[in-house]
Amino acid sequence: MSTQLSTPAQTLLEPATTPGPVRATAVPTTFLAVTTIPVGTNPVGLAFIPNGDLYVANSGSNNVQTIDTATDTVIGAAIPTGTVPAWLTVAPNGNAYVPNNVSNSVTVIDTATNTVLTTIALSGGPAAAAVIPSGNVYVSRFTANSVQEISVATNTPIGPAIPTGSGPVGIAVAANGKAYVANRNANNVTVIDTATATVVTTIPVGSGPNFVAIGPSGNVAYVVNINSNNVTVINCTTDTVVGAPIPVGTNPWGITVGPDGHAYTANRGSNDVSVIDTTTNTVIGAPIPVGSQPVALVVAPNNKVYVANIAGASVSVIQFDPTLTSIVPNQGPIAGGTFVTITGTNLTGATVTIGGNPATGVTVNATGTQLTATTPPGAAGPADVTVTTPGGSATLVGGFTYVLPVHATSLTATPALSKLFPPHVYFPFLTATLTDQVTGLPVPGQTISFKIGSNLVGTAITDAQGVARFNETLILTLILANGGYDAVFAGGSTPSAILSPSSDHAGVIEP
């Protein structure tokens, strides 16, 4: 690793204590997936750029690389920076601001073209950058014990430096506009009113505070403490510590909050990530093993977590198992072709099966909370809907019902061939033929009722030609008295369709 500016306490990027062993407890791989992206030497800062890709600042190779978050691969050429780039940020104007800790400068990159626009001289060991409500950027100065505001319009420092505690690193801005600066060597957090660039107060926290993240409400700050292996929670309205510190992994260096409302800590000493439920301020699940010495992390809109491993020359990608909420519509024809929308979480990279058959045209939105697909053909009845991602799979049991199409039918009854005086049957059977009007084919295996007036005289089953036959010999008198008979099909189904009812009246003719 390159040599960094140092204070008597420690250098900016060197661990405060010897990293501990990798934790043996791991989250089951059926519930999440961790992949690795090789990057430059000693990656530290991570920041999303406007097109959704990810910048990673490599402190050892003095450059910034771009990760395509759709494919999770490095793309394009590395962008040169100053010496030992650290925790960067991206301003609303689309420019990235990269503090260079050793060369005492800030590199400004146009993220649209991936080119360096300028380099801003800034002494005092620039460490981390954050955007304030005005759109300008605050940069912490690790050895100068201060924060400097930079105008994004002119790319120059403005106003006097704002004093902090010793060894300021991470900066986060709450919804009320106050900036919270973690002072690693002073074991406290400096609170700055960004509207007036003045210090509001100083809050004691744990040992070795290094980075800060703001909770989902915008009014709570989470501070990771390297040496006390915990997270301090600060109420940003009262600027007081809330509750007891939250224990996490060994030497937590970085913290971020994702769209799912969870906070994630990069535990450099235990080579893992802890997950905190910010509604209860408790750690949930087992720690997630990542690369060697994770120091920073960010969460994409689709809830994928990217972790910079400073000793591993890599970025780990954590994708959690999907969850499913609904499918709309939840029924369609057995022929398939129904366009459905499935909602849930962590759906990025999904494939879909319905009734065990793959759906087609699967498209997932940017947040990984909704996908669309076209149903495959299936058997009539309920079918399981299963979504599989790199993180795992989830199923809506019986979530989609395949229904048969409704086909109209026609029933043709033949007249009774009889003679009234004297009564005589010329042909012994009444016949009725059932036809599927959609296919034009005869329908076998269906029940036909034969009625005379309101009286049911019998039933018969259609044969392969769709014909039902009923002996008229014994009912000749009734047929003659009523001037004929009715054939009635009450409706039914085949493996491929629901058949609608039909009927026909046949009279009496004498050949």
Side-chain angles (χ1 to χ4, degrees):
M1 184 182 298
S2 301
T3 303
Q4 293 86 36
L5 288 180
S6 63
T7 65
Q10 67 184 87
T11 58
L12 176 67
L13 298 180
E14 291 298 333
T17 58
T18 302
V22 177
R23 293 189 174 196
T25 304
V27 175
T29 56
T30 53
F31 296 105
L32 59 84
V34 180
T35 56
T36 301
I37 306 171
V39 292
T41 307
N42 305 135
V44 179
L46 301 168
F48 291 105
I49 62 177
N51 70 359
D53 289 340
L54 180 67
Y55 270 6
V56 52
N58 300 308
S59 66
S61 46
N62 300 326
N63 58 32
V64 165
Q65 288 177 296
T66 306
I67 293 175
D68 181 340
T69 55
T71 61
D72 287 336
T73 56
V74 173
I75 58 173
I79 306 165
T81 63
T83 306
V84 188
W87 287 274
L88 72 162
T89 194
V90 177
N93 63 6
N95 293 340
Y97 290 78
V98 187
N100 303 305
N101 180 242
V102 169
S103 59
N104 289 314
S105 63
V106 175
T107 300
V108 184
I109 301 172
D110 181 342
T111 62
T113 61
N114 292 328
T115 56
V116 174
L117 293 175
T118 189
T119 299
I120 305 168
L122 186 65
S123 64
V131 177
I132 63 175
S134 67
N136 287 339
V137 171
Y138 271 6
V139 178
S140 59
R141 303 164 69 204
F142 186 69
T143 59
N145 303 328
S146 63
V147 164
Q148 179 64 56
E149 183 175 349
I150 292 177
S151 167
V152 298
T154 62
N155 286 328
T156 56
I158 58 174
I162 306 167
T164 64
S166 176
V169 185
I171 307 169
V173 180
N176 57 16
K178 291 186 289 188
Y180 292 76
V181 185
N183 303 307
R184 186 195 297 175
N185 300 330
N187 300 331
N188 59 29
V189 169
T190 299
V191 183
I192 301 171
D193 182 341
T194 61
T196 61
T198 56
V199 174
V200 176
T201 189
T202 300
I203 306 170
V205 291
S207 177
N210 196 63
F211 230 78
V212 188
I214 304 300
S217 69
N219 297 314
V220 176
Y222 291 84
V223 184
V224 283
N225 303 302
I226 293 175
N227 301 322
S228 52
N229 302 325
N230 56 26
V231 173
T232 300
V233 184
I234 296 173
N235 182 319
C236 298
T237 302
T238 60
D239 288 329
T240 56
V241 171
V242 178
I246 306 168
V248 290
T250 306
N251 301 147
W253 272 58
I255 188 167
T256 191
V257 175
D260 62 355
H262 293 154
Y264 301 86
T265 67
N267 305 314
R268 183 172 183 173
S270 48
N271 297 336
D272 56 30
V273 169
S274 297
V275 184
I276 298 172
D277 182 342
T278 59
T279 60
T280 61
N281 287 336
T282 56
V283 172
I284 57 175
I288 304 167
V290 288
S292 180
Q293 297 189 27
V295 294
L297 69 180
V298 291
V299 186
N302 61 11
N303 212 44
K304 288 166 68 174
V305 182
Y306 292 82
V307 187
N309 306 303
I310 193 170
S314 66
V315 171
S316 295
V317 186
I318 303 170
Q319 185 164 354
F320 295 95
D321 60 308
T323 65
L324 301 181
T325 304
S326 64
I327 178 171
V328 178
N330 61 5
Q331 65 176 26
I334 60 171
T338 302
F339 187 77
V340 296
T341 299
I342 298 173
T343 58
T345 61
N346 307 324
L347 304 180
T348 300
T351 59
V352 180
T353 62
I354 301 178
N357 300 314
T360 57
V362 178
T363 302
V364 184
N365 68 355
T367 60
T369 56
Q370 189 176 87
L371 66 80
T372 56
T374 300
T375 62
D384 292 349
V385 178
T386 299
V387 173
T388 302
T389 71
S393 63
T395 299
L396 291 172
V397 177
F400 187 82
T401 300
Y402 281 105
V403 295
L404 297 171
V406 177
H407 287 188
T409 63
S410 63
L411 190 62
T412 303
T414 56
L417 302 178
S418 304
K419 184 178 181 181
L420 184 57
F421 299 108
H424 179 73
V425 174
Y426 286 94
F427 187 74
F429 293 102
L430 306 175
T431 62
T433 302
L434 183 64
T435 303
D436 185 326
Q437 289 191 314
V438 174
T439 64
L441 299 174
V443 185
Q446 303 297 319
T447 300
I448 307 300
S449 299
F450 292 87
K451 296 182 177 181
I452 299 175
S454 61
N455 298 312
L456 174 65
V457 294
T459 61
I461 305 298
T462 56
D463 60 18
Q465 287 72 46
V467 178
R469 293 175 174 83
F470 189 77
N471 194 314
E472 69 173 312
T473 304
L474 298 178
I475 58 173
L476 174 60
T477 303
L478 285 174
I479 293 173
L480 295 175
N482 285 273
Y485 69 97
D486 293 296
V488 178
F489 173 55
S493 65
T494 69
S496 60
I498 295 173
L499 303 174
S500 60
S502 56
S503 62
D504 192 26
H505 176 79
V508 179
I509 62 172
E510 183 176 343

